[in-house]
Amino acid sequence: MKRNKRERQALLTETIKENPFITDEELADKFTVSVQTIRLDRLELSIPELRERIKNVAEKNFEDEVRSLPLEEVIGEIIDMDLDNSAISILDIKKEHVFKRNQIARGHHLFAQANSLAVAVINDELALTAKANIRFTRSVLEGERVVAKAKVISIDEEKGRTLVEVTSFVNSEIVFKGDFEMYRSHA
């Protein structure tokens, strides 16, 4: 069913609000219109292009929020943070992240992104990984963008442990899932 312009633009606005990292090409596929139509819609709605949207999100300053490790030690770029609740980071897979022979990302980069996000979301000056249960669900290729989303599942104040679930996506496809049991000095 083809939508009229007003409906499409309303859905476009909502879709970009939910996922600011979606490309014009992905939007064109989703709405079965041309990339040019998406660009014109964005222009009319004053929605910036992908690069500008990413920059706007990244400009939020998390320096004061992240307590458990310096921001430069987080693998990927934190774009959203709600301490002891949730966090999101992005990692663009480049030549230095992949095997030369097949351009598949090395698993330790995906793990490092997820693990550092699990540490960063903890509202404590000391947070360490006590245990991790991880699953790689699909290979990630050079040029793909990995969006990791961390969610604090539970905080056990008696044991000083926090359970953090991290799910990493390329577009809307899950590529990595991890459950991290985190030690914290103060619950």
Side-chain angles (χ1 to χ4, degrees):
M1 183 186 101
K2 192 165 172 141
R3 296 176 180 91
N4 70 34
K5 183 177 177 179
R6 188 178 301 137
E7 290 171 337
R8 184 184 65 244
Q9 287 185 345
L11 285 170
L12 176 72
T13 303
E14 189 178 312
T15 302
I16 291 174
K17 194 175 284 184
E18 287 174 15
N19 179 8
F21 311 110
I22 193 165
T23 66
D24 287 346
E25 290 77 11
E26 291 165 337
L27 289 164
D29 287 345
K30 180 178 177 122
F31 296 111
T32 58
V33 295
S34 71
V35 173
Q36 188 60 36
T37 299
I38 293 296
R39 290 180 178 152
L40 289 169
D41 284 349
R42 277 195 307 92
L43 191 61
E44 279 184 36
L45 296 167
S46 300
I47 298 172
E49 66 178 348
L50 175 64
R51 190 176 310 145
E52 197 62 34
R53 292 194 309 266
I54 291 170
K55 199 171 114 190
N56 291 343
V57 172
E59 282 175 354
K60 289 184 181 177
N61 187 355
F62 298 110
E63 285 291 339
D64 296 334
E65 287 197 42
V66 178
R67 296 180 57 204
S68 54
L69 79 167
L71 272 185
E72 61 271 7
E73 291 182 19
V74 175
I75 307 300
E77 187 175 339
I78 294 179
I79 57 161
D80 190 36
M81 176 69 66
D82 181 6
L83 289 176
D84 277 345
N85 189 23
S86 64
I88 300 173
S89 76
I90 56 173
L91 177 65
D92 288 319
I93 302 301
K94 298 178 181 157
K95 192 177 209 106
E96 62 267 21
H97 301 119
V98 300
F99 292 106
K100 285 181 180 153
R101 69 179 195 279
N102 56 18
Q103 287 71 51
I104 293 174
R106 297 171 185 263
H108 65 270
H109 293 294
L110 300 181
F111 174 79
Q113 178 190 21
N115 187 63
S116 64
L117 192 60
V119 170
V121 76
I122 304 295
N123 188 11
D124 200 322
E125 296 192 9
L126 176 65
L128 303 169
T129 306
K131 183 166 58 171
N133 181 10
I134 63 170
R135 292 166 299 290
F136 295 92
T137 56
R138 127 157 139 69
S139 297
V140 176
L141 304 173
E142 183 178 349
E144 291 186 312
R145 169 171 283 147
V146 181
V147 178
K149 298 181 178 184
K151 182 174 185 200
V152 173
I153 303 302
S154 64
I155 300 173
D156 185 334
E157 294 184 23
E158 284 182 29
K159 294 182 181 177
R161 298 290 168 105
T162 300
L163 184 60
V164 180
E165 179 184 271
V166 180
T167 307
S168 298
F169 302 86
V170 170
N171 298 322
S172 58
E173 186 178 359
I174 295 174
V175 296
F176 174 93
K177 200 159 177 51
D179 296 317
F180 295 85
E181 186 178 314
M182 307 302 294
Y183 166 81
R184 60 194 297 153
S185 56
H186 305 94

